[in-house]
Amino acid sequence: KAGVTQTPRYLIKTRGQQVTLSCSPISGHRSVSWYQQTPGQGLQFLFEYFSETQRNKGNFPGRFSGRQFSNSRSEMNVSTLELGDSALYLCASNEGPAGTGELFFGEGSRLTVL
Amino acid sequence: KNEVEQSPQNLTAQEGEFITINCSYSVGISALHWLQQHPGGGIVSLFMLSSGKKKHGRLIATINIQEKHSSLHITASHPRDSAVYICAVLPLQAGTALIFGKGTTLSVSS
C-alpha cells in the first residue's frame, strides 16, 4: 500500500508569488489534513478536508486555502507569499477525521520564500 | 500558556539509558498521539492513547487522563532513537483540530 505522497518536495519562491502544494493520501483514506512546521512555532494546523468538505480550519490568514478532489487528493495554495511563509508543509491522511486514528504523514514540501 | 507542554525541550543520553519524555495538556481530550520526526522531516506515528498504557518494542507510552499528563519511555536507548518526539492532543470539543507540543529533541550517543 503506497504511503502519503507530497509534491513538490522542495521549492523556492519569491515574495508576492503564489504556490500550490499537492497531497495524495493513502488509498481509501477520506481525510487529509495540512500542517505548517517552523522552527519557532513547531507544528500548526492549517486545515482538514474530509470527503471533499473542509471540516476544520486553523488560525491562518485567508492567503492560505485548500481543496480536496473526489479521489481524496488535496491541494493547498498560498497566495501573495511572505518571507514568514517559509516552512515545511506536511499533510496527513486518515481513514476517519484527523486524530481519531493513527496519523500517516507525507514527507513534506519544504518552501523557501526569498 | 501553551495548551500542550513538553519537557524536557532537549535531551542527551548515552546508549543504553532509559529515557522519559513528558507531555502535559490543559484541555479535555479524546486522544493523545506521540509522533517521531527524524532529521529530514518525515513524521511517524508511534502511539495513539486514550487511556492506560501501550508498548511497542522498546517504547512505552502512558497516559493519566485525570492528571492530564502522558509520558513516553524509551528503554535501552540507541543512537537510531535520536529524533524529535512530538506530543499532540485531540480535544474533546467537537470540531477541534489537533494541538501539538513544541517537541523534545533527543540525541543518543554511542
Side-chain angles (χ1 to χ4, degrees), chain A residues 9 35 37 40-43 45 56 88 90 98-103 105-107, chain B residues 31 33 35 37 40-45 48 86 90 95-98 100-102:
Chain A
R9 290 290 314 280
Y35 306 90
Q37 187 177 38
Q41 296 297 320
L43 274 164
F45 169 76
N56 218 331
L88 180 66
L90 291 150
T100 60
E102 183 178 357
L103 294 162
F105 284 87
E107 293 291 313
Chain B
H33 295 261
L35 310 171
Q37 184 174 32
I43 295 179
V44 173
S45 175
M48 185 182 85
I86 302 167
L90 185 64
T96 312
L98 285 166
F100 296 86
K102 294 257 191 271

Side-chain angles (χ1 to χ4, degrees), chain B residues 9-28:
Chain B
Q9 188 175 349
N10 296 287
L11 186 53
T12 57
Q14 290 288 319
E15 183 174 359
E17 286 186 5
F18 181 85
I19 304 292
T20 296
I21 299 170
N22 297 298
C23 175
S24 296
Y25 51 91
S26 58
V27 298

Side-chain angles (χ1 to χ4, degrees), chain A residues 82-102:
Chain A
E82 300 177 359
L83 294 178
D85 297 332
S86 294
L88 180 66
Y89 291 87
L90 291 150
C91 77
S93 82
N94 296 82
E95 289 181 331
T100 60
E102 183 178 357

